[in-house]
Amino acid sequence: MKKVELYLIRHGQTYINKYNRMQGWSDSPLTASGKSDAHNAGIYLRDTQFQAVYSSDTMRAIKTAKIIMDESNFPTPERRTSKYLREHFYGYFEGDDSYRTWFVVGNPYGYKTLEDIAADRSLDVAKDLMHQTDPYHDAENAEQFWTRVNKNLSSIC
């Protein structure tokens, strides 16, 4: 079995993150803080030689990966983007206030926040509750999310 070492790095802060809005498949530019954090990650990893760099196809992820790799002491490796590496899709709740969203999703079950749901149940249960609460049922449930992400991870490993 081939050994693969993965470094998982979240994209830098975006304006939607800054304003505490739900951002899954929707995209927004990196803030100055997000760019700075990406530069710092690049400095921290500058002596790590990567064979390939993978990111979602969102501009925030592509930009974060580029900033990190611009700091590298090694030639830029192969870079790939994939829609399968996107964050969870929040459906109807995309762009909504995060606190309000998780209250609406969790309150019928006795939860006020995402943290409450995750602590008592799991993040997968939170995904399933969001899917059930979405009036269009467009938000991904846990099975849809992991099927999509694992499709891409299995091609990497």
Side-chain angles (χ1 to χ4, degrees):
M1 178 182 267
K2 179 173 113 177
K3 180 180 177 184
V4 175
E5 189 169 345
L6 293 175
Y7 290 75
L8 301 176
I9 302 171
R10 187 174 190 271
H11 62 79
Q13 180 192 58
T14 68
Y15 283 96
I16 291 178
N17 298 145
K18 179 179 177 178
Y19 305 138
N20 196 42
R21 312 299 277 181
M22 300 297 291
Q23 180 177 239
W25 288 12
S26 57
D27 208 2
S28 69
L30 297 175
T31 63
S33 176
K35 291 175 187 175
S36 176
D37 287 345
H39 280 291
N40 290 337
I43 290 167
Y44 181 79
L45 294 168
R46 74 171 17 140
D47 293 323
T48 304
Q49 187 169 11
F50 295 98
Q51 292 182 331
V53 174
Y54 299 86
S55 76
S56 80
D57 60 349
T58 61
M59 289 311 301
R60 66 186 184 262
I62 292 168
K63 180 72 173 174
T64 298
K66 180 181 182 334
I67 292 170
I68 290 170
M69 294 317 301
D70 284 349
E71 297 291 344
S72 179
N73 287 327
F74 297 98
T76 302
E78 174 186 2
R79 295 201 335 217
R80 295 184 193 165
T81 62
S82 173
K83 67 182 180 181
Y84 299 115
L85 291 174
R86 290 180 189 167
E87 260 181 80
H88 179 251
F89 180 55
Y90 298 114
Y92 174 80
F93 299 105
E94 285 279 331
D96 200 5
D97 177 80
S98 294
Y99 295 122
R100 187 191 88 73
T101 295
W102 288 112
F103 182 81
V104 167
V105 168
N107 193 49
Y109 307 96
Y111 304 111
K112 292 187 179 359
T113 67
L114 170 61
E115 291 76 16
D116 293 342
I117 300 168
D120 188 50
R121 306 283 291 282
S122 71
L123 289 175
D124 282 348
V125 167
K127 288 175 180 24
D128 292 343
L129 294 178
M130 178 173 281
H131 175 77
Q132 292 168 17
T133 307
D134 180 338
Y136 300 95
H137 302 292
D138 286 337
E140 288 180 302
N141 63 30
E143 181 182 0
Q144 291 167 323
F145 172 79
W146 288 114
T147 298
R148 175 175 56 81
V149 171
N150 284 332
K151 180 183 286 189
N152 203 96
L153 288 179
S154 64
S155 72
I156 294 170
C157 302

